[in-house]
Amino acid sequence: MTHTEYGKPVQHGPEPDWEAVQTSPEFQELRRRLRVFVFPMTAFFLAWYLLYVVVAAYASDFMAVKLVGNINIGIVFGLLQFVSTFVITGLYVRYAGSRLDPIADKIRHEIEGEDK
């Protein structure tokens, strides 16, 4: 017993067979579900950011169009980059909580030898 988790002592037993864990159907499903979310969302965000950079570089007149007072399209586009980051984070948290965490918890319990 060297560590504590949530105030409970953690006992270290024999080292798990990590190769068996990685080849288990549950772990493969966890990896598949992670990729299903992460790869398309990463591609979307990079395309969205690249669009912002390209439009700023090649359509500066468009980006300079004033919307309200001194607020122009470029400022709105830039702020939407931050908004999209927070939206993607929220989507991931919700996705992980419903689709990833249950499988990860099951795998962890199996590794630690706990019954649910």
Side-chain angles (χ1 to χ4, degrees):
M1 283 190 277
T2 58
H3 303 296
T4 59
E5 183 176 319
Y6 307 112
K8 300 178 197 171
V10 176
Q11 295 184 1
H12 297 285
E15 185 72 19
D17 182 3
W18 295 114
E19 288 182 21
V21 171
Q22 290 177 351
T23 58
S24 71
E26 293 87 6
F27 188 80
Q28 295 301 318
E29 178 64 14
L30 179 64
R31 290 182 65 190
R32 186 194 68 75
R33 288 184 184 190
L34 180 67
R35 287 181 185 135
V36 162
F37 183 88
V38 171
F39 289 153
M41 198 57 67
T42 300
F44 164 75
F45 183 78
L46 289 175
W48 164 238
Y49 180 72
L50 183 62
L51 174 69
Y52 172 63
V53 171
V54 169
V55 172
Y58 294 105
S60 57
D61 291 340
F62 170 72
M63 295 292 260
V65 171
K66 292 188 186 276
L67 298 174
V68 177
N70 287 331
I71 298 174
N72 60 27
I73 292 176
I75 290 173
V76 172
F77 232 91
L79 291 174
L80 286 174
Q81 294 293 316
F82 290 102
V83 171
S84 65
T85 300
F86 290 116
V87 168
I88 290 169
T89 301
L91 291 172
Y92 177 76
V93 167
R94 190 171 72 188
Y95 181 82
S98 65
R99 306 277 295 158
L100 301 177
D101 291 348
I103 296 175
D105 288 342
K106 182 176 185 258
I107 293 169
R108 183 176 53 86
H109 288 299
E110 289 173 1
I111 290 170
E112 293 174 353
E114 299 175 5
D115 291 330
K116 264 187 135 176

